[in-house]
Amino acid sequence: MLVGQELLDKARALSNRREDEIARGCGYVGPSGRVLKKSFYRALVEAKGYTLPSTSNSGGGPRGRQAEFRTRVHGNGNLLIGHAYTRRLGLEPGQEFRIELHKDSGSIWLLPIDDTESDPASEA
């Protein structure tokens, strides 16, 4: 991603193109291929010499969606946990868990399955 005078020069050279193409040409593309417009515009403003407030979460400003530690059962019966929570727990795609239901407390436990552990339900 270009910054400073390099960003201004490249953006000026691409000024006859669409905004998305300018941002892409300056390297503001995420890992999924999505154009990072907010980062691009922020870098342009900073390259022009303006100081912007910090984007850290300690600033008290808008921080996007935050984990609420609440969920609800969807109409199809699914219960979604969400990426914010799995990330906080350090869970990785492909990890497997055994689900334990505790009706007395209304809780659900996810118990990691080891490669060496066999499924007790399949042994019956």
Side-chain angles (χ1 to χ4, degrees):
M1 293 183 208
L2 299 177
V3 293
Q5 192 59 46
E6 283 182 308
L7 173 62
L8 293 175
D9 293 342
K10 183 73 170 187
R12 195 170 289 117
L14 298 172
S15 64
N16 61 339
R17 299 189 182 184
R18 292 186 7 248
E19 292 173 18
D20 284 3
E21 292 174 357
I22 297 170
R24 189 177 297 279
C26 293
Y28 287 84
V29 181
S32 66
R34 187 174 59 92
V35 176
L36 305 173
K37 286 185 181 181
K38 185 175 179 180
S39 297
F40 172 65
Y41 293 134
R42 185 173 200 77
L44 273 178
V45 169
E46 289 175 352
K48 288 279 191 176
Y50 296 98
T51 304
L52 297 173
S54 172
T55 58
S56 70
N57 289 344
S58 61
R63 299 183 300 188
R65 291 181 69 177
Q66 298 297 306
E68 295 182 33
F69 293 100
R70 292 177 59 147
T71 189
R72 67 173 47 120
V73 178
H74 293 243
N76 61 5
N78 288 345
L79 181 64
L80 179 66
I81 294 173
H83 181 254
Y85 310 104
T86 55
R87 184 180 63 232
R88 279 188 135 179
L89 289 171
L91 305 180
E92 298 291 331
Q95 275 185 291
E96 293 185 340
F97 297 88
R98 187 164 44 90
I99 298 171
E100 229 177 67
L101 304 175
H102 296 268
K103 290 185 180 181
D104 55 325
S105 64
S107 62
I108 299 170
W109 292 4
L110 295 177
L111 304 172
I113 297 175
D114 300 353
D115 291 336
T116 60
E117 183 181 330
S118 60
D119 185 8
S122 65
E123 293 176 0

